[in-house]
Every structure is written in structure tokens, then in C-alpha cells.
Amino acid sequence: MTAIASHLTCDILVAGGSFSAVAAALAAARTNFKARVILTESTDWLGGQATSQGVSAIDNCWFEPGASLMRENPATYYPSDYLEWIEMLWHKPADAVGEGMAPYLAGWVSREDFDPRTGAWLLEKMIEKHENILYLPMTVVKKVETVDCSDKYGEDGRKIVSVTLIKRTAANGYVPHSVLLSEEMHDWYSTDKSERFDKEVIQVTAENEKTLTVIDATEGGDIMVLSGADYTIGREVANEMTQEDTQLPEIDENGSQATVFPFCVSLQNDYDEETDQFIQNHFDSFAEHYQKYKETYFSFGKHNWRIVWTYRRIYCTGKTGMEDVNDDDVSMQNWYPGNDYPNASIYKDKTEAAAEAADWQGGWHYHRIKEAEEIAYAWYKYYQEHSPMPLQTCCPRGSHPCNMMGSGHGLSKFPYIRCGRRAVGLYHFRLTSSYLVDLQQENHNATSYRFFDSVGIGDYAVDVHPLTSSKGVLPPFEKAAPFYIPVRALASRNIRNLVVSGKNMATTYLTNSAYRLHPIEWAAGSAAGTLAGEMQKKKANAYDLLAIQSLRCLQTEIAKVSPIHWAAYDLESLPFLNGDFVVNNNRPITNDESFEIELFYPQGDYVEFWADGQEIGEGFVRKETGKIRLFNLHVDKAIKQIIAKCFDKQHELIETFEWNNPRN
């Protein structure tokens, strides 16, 4: 039986319900209080990696060079509404569900370990405070319609005019997420009613002659695929650099990072027979696969069972030491090499996704999602078998009070997505690792490269969880200096009214691994939502807002609630340049090495480069990329300074950029 059909209008559609999507919806509603905002979520919990994906212990204990400064004044690092959410987790409202925040350092990888049930409940309450946000849970994207809007930014520009959603409501007494995701998820994208769900097909458009602004904060990049936006998927094979002709580098599209289904473990008196029976009923070859993983993959590494328990302990009423396991603990399991699914990507490649677009099913490999579920249960069995505790290790499911995943099967409602589909940003921009600086590098300038269009900050390791089948670029270093989020990574190159956030930002395989942490995703969402709000206010697209006056207004608006600079390091609160000038990948130049220069300055036409008064190169700015790049430059003496002189078409000097060699 076909679903009910309906129509909604709004100004800003935030698709996804991820952690970044919540931040984006709040920012959009706050920035433009007259705008009507619709927020969708595919599960029944808002919050993505922090809630429905089960990673409710934020990796923030071991990497921040400014950690002590951040603890003294967290507002210099974290967005204010993110801090509001954290504060409510620490001081759980009386009517909130779940257990709130665990004691400080109950989990040794995190300063904030919490019950995801509480996290999701609080996020929904934050959304409810805004009357101009309509929240649609259990809703997926099915179709996107676009029209041509070729302009000065490119002849292939298009604009989204409508998005079709499928909203499901539980029917016949079914409780959502009772069955495995791999069994339920097919139903999400069907327009037909089923035994489990009633369906409503909703067409979303702008009102009258207005322009709809869409933020893709989905975990599958649904809007990007269905709108025809440029994007990448997988792992760069040899290098990350886009070619001068805008050709993307070679990418292994099946080489994304490992995904994982987190789950909880607790201790009880009786053996966990129910979970054993559940596994037998759902995985025909479980014993065979378990033996294989046990012999070739599973390991505690240099740690022991107890330390794995406390790694992400999200509930604790006893001792909080690294080897203190208490009978009433709840440990969230997200371990490598454990329940990480390393075999293959759960995403279809670009050709497969395009072929599916006419009848969109999410672009997933459902059989691989089931394999990821199986390896999660296999890790549970391995962990259970190796327990040194007198009580039995169990996997809480269904109505069990320790089932903080909130599902009937005990696994997270959705897999934790480390790396998915990633946009190609404005002017073909992508965040490559060349913009990051090795924290251990001699004479680094405290932070990584600060873009002229920086609208957020972040700090995390280059934390790659590779697939065993994938080969490609490797992290140039593990610890990156604190970094920034540029506007160009938050919008689509060719879809003019599409903003992107979360895992869909214009990153590469390597930079995504650093930008994917919870507070960074929130900061990106806050910036994306403000960008969308300003686009609506000014009836402009994201390219238009790169103009320096509009950009400074945007940055100032974002900075009211979300830091865009490193107070501990940056002399100026706003970037002072009108473009980007990157020399030698942010490394010092010696007198015996070749180097390259990259200047982003789309306002210019022709550029001359001078090193200590001697001209070393010249060329024209490429309009497609807004930049000029010179390679294999070489000097036979130590350089103190490089100057870029930018000219317009009449050869009038319009801007000068300076770079000072940190070697001096």
C-alpha cells in the first residue's frame, strides 16, 4: 500500500540529524529567526556519532596541545551550545532519560563519557526551544530535483528546487530498531507501507519564488549524490592533490575507513544465553567467522581486558582507575582490532550510487552492514571468553536497564561512520594534509595553516582506521597542530544552494580522519548553519559570501557562539588576509631544496613572486580554482621572505601577500 503524500515548505532544510546537523539547525534558526528550518534524522535519536552511533565517549584526553588552556576557559575552544549540552549531561535534568555523564575520567580516553540515551534526549530538547525548527525523526532522503543556474562561478552550476523525504511511523506495535539495522534499513527507503511502518512521502520546497537552502549533514551524503554535486569517496591512492585542470587524484573508491557498531557490556550473575540465541538465529556461519577473527584479527594489543573495559566506560559508580572494573559498570565497546569492521567499505562507489539514484536506497552495501554487525557480536564473544571477572559479561539488549544503545539487538542504532562521501568544495577546494602542520615539527607556528575564510577550529590526531583491502596515502604524521575549518570546505562547488557539514565536508581521506571528532563536527555544523542563514538573509550563494566584506560579517556572526580562532596562539581574532598564501606546504625552506607555492586569490588575474627582492616566478590565476601554483622552485641561498604581487587585468597592483620563512 502506497504511503500518504504531503508537501512542506521551508527556507532551510537540514538533512541528516547527525551531530553536525543538530548544530547546523540550531545555528540556522538562531542566525535567521525568520527562516523556517526543517531538520530530518534517519533514526529516532538525534546526534549521530554521539548517540545513535554509540560513540558516547569523546576522544579528547590525549592529543590537545592547548588542553590545559581549554580546561581553564573552554569557551575559547568549544561552541557555546556544545558546552550547554555538555553541561546538561553533567547536571542531568530530573526528567531526562538515562544516566547522564559518568564520573570524570571514568573512561581513560575521554573527559566526557555519557549515556547516549541522555545525550539524544537533551539534543531534542535543545531543538524544541526553537519554534522555527520542525524536527522529522525516522525520515530519509529519497529524491532531489535540481535546475540549471549557470553563472559567473561556472557553466555547470545547478540549484536544488525540491527534496523528497520518506517519513516512517511505527505500526502494529513494532518498536523501531528492534531488529538488526541490516534487516530494517531496506524498509526506510520504500514508499510502501510495511508490517513495521506506516509511510509518508513529503515533498519539501521553498515557498513561492524563494530559494531553498539545503544542508547535507547525512551520513550517506544523500543530497550530494542525488543532486549531482561533485564529491569523492574512498582513499586517495598516491597523493591528495587536485590537478591544475581540476582533475581529482586517483582514488580507491572502495577504500574508506573502517566502520563499527559499538555496543555495551555489563556484568551479571547469569550467563548471557539470550544474546547467544540471538546470534545463532541471525548469523548462519557465525562459529566459522568467529574462529577466523579470533585467530587473525582480535587482540587487546599492548593492553589487557580490564583496560579495554575502562577505555570507554560510560557508567561507573565505583573506582575510576584504568584497571578498576566495578560490578555496576557499563563499558561501551569501540575497539580496534575488535568490533571495527575492516573488510570492506559499506558505501557503494560513485558509479553504483549513480545507478541507484532513480530509486535511492541509501547507497549502502547492506550485506556488508550485516557483516559489520556480525563482527561486533564476534568481538563481544571474544571479550566475554577472555574475562577475568567472577561475574558474567553480558550484552544488554531491549529493555535491560544497562542497554544504553537503546536497541532491541544491543548494538548501536546506526554504525559509527568515520569516513563517507565528501564534497568537492568551492573553487574545487579540498582540505588536504598539506594544510596541516606536524605538531612535532621544528619551528612550526603553533597552529596549522589559518585560512582567510576560517570559520571554526579543531584539534585531533590524524587517526586512520584503514580497511585491510585498501592501499593508498599514509598519514604524514600522527599529531597535527591545531587547525581551522574554512568556508570553502562547507559548500558545494557546483550546487549553488547546497551547504555541507559533518563527514560530508570537503576533506580527503587523511584530513577527514582529523576533522571527524565530535566537537569539531559540531563546530563545522555551527558554521554551516550560520552560512545557510546568511545565504537566506542576503539571497546569496556561498561563493558570494567569500567576498571579503560579506565574509568578515559571516565570520563575526559565527564567532558570537563558536570560536573561529585559537585564542592561545592567534594575534588577531579574524584572519587579516584576503586569500591564502601557502609556501612549501607550511614548512621552512632551506637553501638546498626545491619548493612550491600556492596562492588562492580569485580576485586577481596575474601574479609575480619575489624572494628577498629577486623575482622567482609569475603566472595567471586559474579561474576554475581561483589559485595559481608554481612547482619545483629553487633558490641557492637562504630565503627570509617571499612576496606575491597580485595584479588585475589592467595590470594594476591590487594586493600583496607576504610569507616569512620560519627557519629564520
Side-chain angles (χ1 to χ4, degrees), residues 304-322:
N304 61 38
W305 189 95
R306 291 174 177 271
I307 291 180
V308 174
W309 179 279
T310 62
Y311 178 54
R312 296 183 187 273
R313 176 168 44 189
I314 59 177
Y315 182 66
C316 174
T317 60
K319 295 181 179 180
T320 59
M322 286 184 68

Side-chain angles (χ1 to χ4, degrees), residues 229-257:
D230 285 356
Y231 74 94
T232 64
I233 178 77
R235 181 177 183 177
E236 285 79 11
V237 174
N239 66 76
E240 303 169 272
M241 299 305 296
T242 301
Q243 303 304 306
E244 288 293 280
D245 61 358
T246 71
Q247 186 73 27
L248 290 167
E250 181 185 359
I251 299 177
D252 173 11
E253 294 186 1
N254 295 304
S256 200
Q257 288 204 54

Side-chain angles (χ1 to χ4, degrees), residues 618-632:
E618 60 184 354
F620 290 92
V621 176
R622 294 187 65 89
K623 295 306 176 186
E624 301 91 339
T625 62
K627 69 173 61 172
I628 176 174
R629 290 170 64 189
L630 299 183
F631 302 91
N632 297 318

